Amino acid sequence: MRLLFWTATWVFALDQATKYIVVQWLDLLRRQEIEVFPPFLVLRMAWNRGVNFGIGAGLDMRWVLIVVALVISAAVVVWLWRSGSTKWGYIAGGVLVGGALGNVLDRLIYGAVADFLNMSCCGFTNPYAFNVADVAIFVGAIGLAILPERQKKKPSAK
C-alpha cells in the first residue's frame, strides 16, 4: 500500500508543479496560448468546470465532481487494500488517485480544473485541452483494467 501512496504523492506533485510552471511562471493565464511544437504541442489555457471534454461545464458541478473524485479515489484505495494487488496494480492505483486529487485541488482553489496541453496531428485540430492529472487518471484506470490481479493462494490439499 505504501507504493500506492508514494505513487499518488509524486503524480499529485508533478501535476501541481506543471500547472504552476505553465499557468503562473510561463504566464499562460495572460498569454492564453504558447506554441511549443505546433501543431503537435501547443499550450492553450482552458478552465474546465465540467467533466471530460467540458461536458456539463455550464452547470455548477464543482462540489459534485469533488465528492465523486474523492469517493472514487477512496474506493480504489480500499479495493486495492482488500485485494492485495500486485506492485503494478498499486502503481496504477496511485497514478489514478494522484491525478484525481490534483484535479480536486484545482476545483477547491479555482472552482475549475486548469487545462493547458493541446495536441493535434495529421490535419486534425483538437479543440480540447487537458493536463497531467487527466493523463494520469486515464493511464491509471487503463492500468487497473488490464493488469492482472494477484493470484490468491489455493489451500494445500493434505
Side-chain angles (χ1 to χ4, degrees), residues 75-95:
V76 167
V77 170
V78 169
W79 172 55
L80 290 173
W81 175 66
R82 286 184 178 169
S83 71
S85 186
T86 65
K87 173 178 84 167
W88 291 106
Y90 287 130
I91 290 171
V95 169

Side-chain angles (χ1 to χ4, degrees), residues 33 39 42 44-48 53-54 115-121 123-130:
E33 188 171 289
V42 176
R44 184 172 296 142
M45 191 67 228
W47 291 102
N48 186 355
F53 308 113
D115 289 337
F116 56 87
L117 294 169
N118 178 268
M119 303 178 92
S120 298
C121 178
F124 171 74
T125 303
N126 180 8
Y128 301 106
F130 56 96

